Amino acid sequence: MIFGNRNIFSSTPPVVMNLIMINVVMLVVTWVMANTFGIDLNRILGVYPPGSPNFRPYQIVTHMFMHGGLFHLFFNMFALWMFGRILEQVWGSRRFFIYYMVTGLGAVTIHLLVNYLHISAIQNDAMAMLNTPSPDAFAAFVTRHFPEYYDQVYAQFLDKWYLFPNSPVYADQAAEYTRQLIALQQGIPTVGASGAVYGVLLAFGVLFPNTVLMLLFPPIPIKAKWMVIIYGGLELYLGLTQPGSSIAHFAHLGGMIFGFILIKLWQRRTDVFY
């Protein structure tokens, strides 16, 4: 996105600059550790669901400085630079840093809560299915919660089970597959600064609602307030329609929600700019 004014290459304030530098350094360190020592830092510093054996409290903070790759890092840091530097200049470094951390922590709180509810639903369905195991019940369970694995892994197994639907051997195998699927769901770390960045985007839309931005895709002008509303609505829709997605849509919403609450606590009549 490109601002309507041309003063976009002014000096970057310290908090935004340091946040960008830390995130870039962590991506480089992640590459070095993976290629030199075979250690995946994303699996150590990314945040897991609280019920996962891999969960550690420090991950609630560290995941905000990890990224899944160069493009993931670039888009987050570009948005942070575009919008965050303006906010830091308006609020000052201390208030901006507080805002960034609160929205990031708020984002992960919402994400972990939604993830907990999602995994609990999977576990409840698994228990119901295993109480009365059958090929149809297992097929429905996999199709509902893990459709991406159905054809790759379980279609052939189900074809065999349908030939012997009362076989305890296949029922035991289905139970083992179910345990593996739940462990897989609990073993996926979440990384990225997106929750805090969405909070920054929300703040820009609230403070500068009528500033016209130029979208890159598609290249059309749009007021900041409408962009925030569209992004928030899209994240809500995707979060509801794609549970368990690899993209943490509710973390994005969480960053926006906590950002909105914090802004309202801080807001003064002179805090809206045009």
Side-chain angles (χ1 to χ4, degrees):
M1 296 167 189
I2 304 171
F3 287 103
N5 66 70
R6 297 183 180 276
N7 189 27
I8 64 173
F9 295 109
S10 58
S11 59
T12 303
V15 171
V16 170
M17 177 61 74
N18 281 287
L19 286 172
I20 292 174
M21 290 176 62
I22 291 170
N23 279 277
V24 171
V25 167
M26 289 308 299
L27 183 63
V28 173
V29 171
T30 299
W31 286 343
V32 171
M33 294 295 288
N35 294 323
T36 305
F37 303 105
I39 297 174
D40 187 353
L41 281 183
N42 279 337
R43 300 199 68 85
I44 298 173
L45 300 179
V47 64
Y48 292 85
S52 169
N54 298 316
F55 174 77
R56 302 291 184 273
Y58 61 78
Q59 297 166 351
I60 293 173
V61 175
T62 58
H63 85 282
M64 295 170 57
F65 303 96
M66 309 299 295
H67 286 83
L70 186 59
F71 286 107
H72 188 200
L73 174 74
F74 172 77
F75 286 112
N76 275 342
M77 295 302 101
F78 180 70
L80 174 60
W81 179 79
M82 285 292 273
F83 302 110
R85 65 195 179 94
I86 307 298
L87 295 175
E88 187 174 348
Q89 289 166 359
V90 172
W91 280 338
S93 296
R94 180 176 178 273
R95 177 168 286 198
F96 176 76
F97 179 72
I98 292 172
Y99 181 85
Y100 184 87
M101 294 304 298
V102 167
T103 53
L105 296 175
V108 74
T109 299
I110 298 296
H111 171 70
L112 293 179
L113 175 61
V114 171
N115 224 7
Y116 170 78
L117 295 175
H118 177 63
I119 292 176
S120 294
I122 293 175
Q123 291 173 326
N124 290 336
D125 287 351
M127 186 176 299
M129 184 270 296
L130 293 175
N131 284 336
T132 55
S134 71
D136 287 333
F138 182 70
F141 172 76
V142 174
T143 302
R144 179 178 181 184
H145 296 293
F146 304 94
E148 66 273 23
Y149 297 112
Y150 187 91
D151 291 331
Q152 300 176 28
V153 181
Y154 303 110
Q156 198 170 31
F157 164 72
L158 280 165
D159 287 342
K160 296 177 181 178
W161 194 4
Y162 274 116
L163 296 176
F164 305 98
N166 297 318
S167 169
V169 174
Y170 287 117
D172 290 342
Q173 185 62 61
E176 178 59 28
Y177 280 145
T178 301
R179 284 189 288 270
Q180 291 174 2
L181 286 169
I182 294 174
L184 177 67
Q185 190 70 30
Q186 293 179 322
I188 301 173
T190 298
V191 297
S194 301
V197 169
Y198 267 76
V200 168
L201 176 63
L202 180 281
F204 187 89
V206 172
L207 268 66
F208 301 89
N210 295 316
T211 297
V212 177
L213 308 173
M214 181 64 74
L215 297 178
L216 295 179
F217 303 104
I220 59 173
I222 185 173
K223 288 185 177 182
K225 61 185 177 183
W226 298 120
M227 185 188 68
V228 168
I229 291 171
I230 291 171
Y231 271 46
L234 182 61
E235 290 302 317
L236 177 60
Y237 171 77
L238 293 174
L240 293 174
T241 58
Q242 298 179 7
S245 169
S246 59
I247 300 175
H249 297 294
F250 280 104
H252 301 165
L253 279 174
M256 298 178 87
I257 292 169
F258 273 74
F260 183 79
I261 293 172
L262 189 55
I263 288 171
K264 289 303 177 184
L265 292 176
W266 285 346
Q267 198 170 48
R268 299 294 184 268
R269 293 183 63 182
T270 56
D271 281 346
V272 176
F273 301 87
Y274 293 84

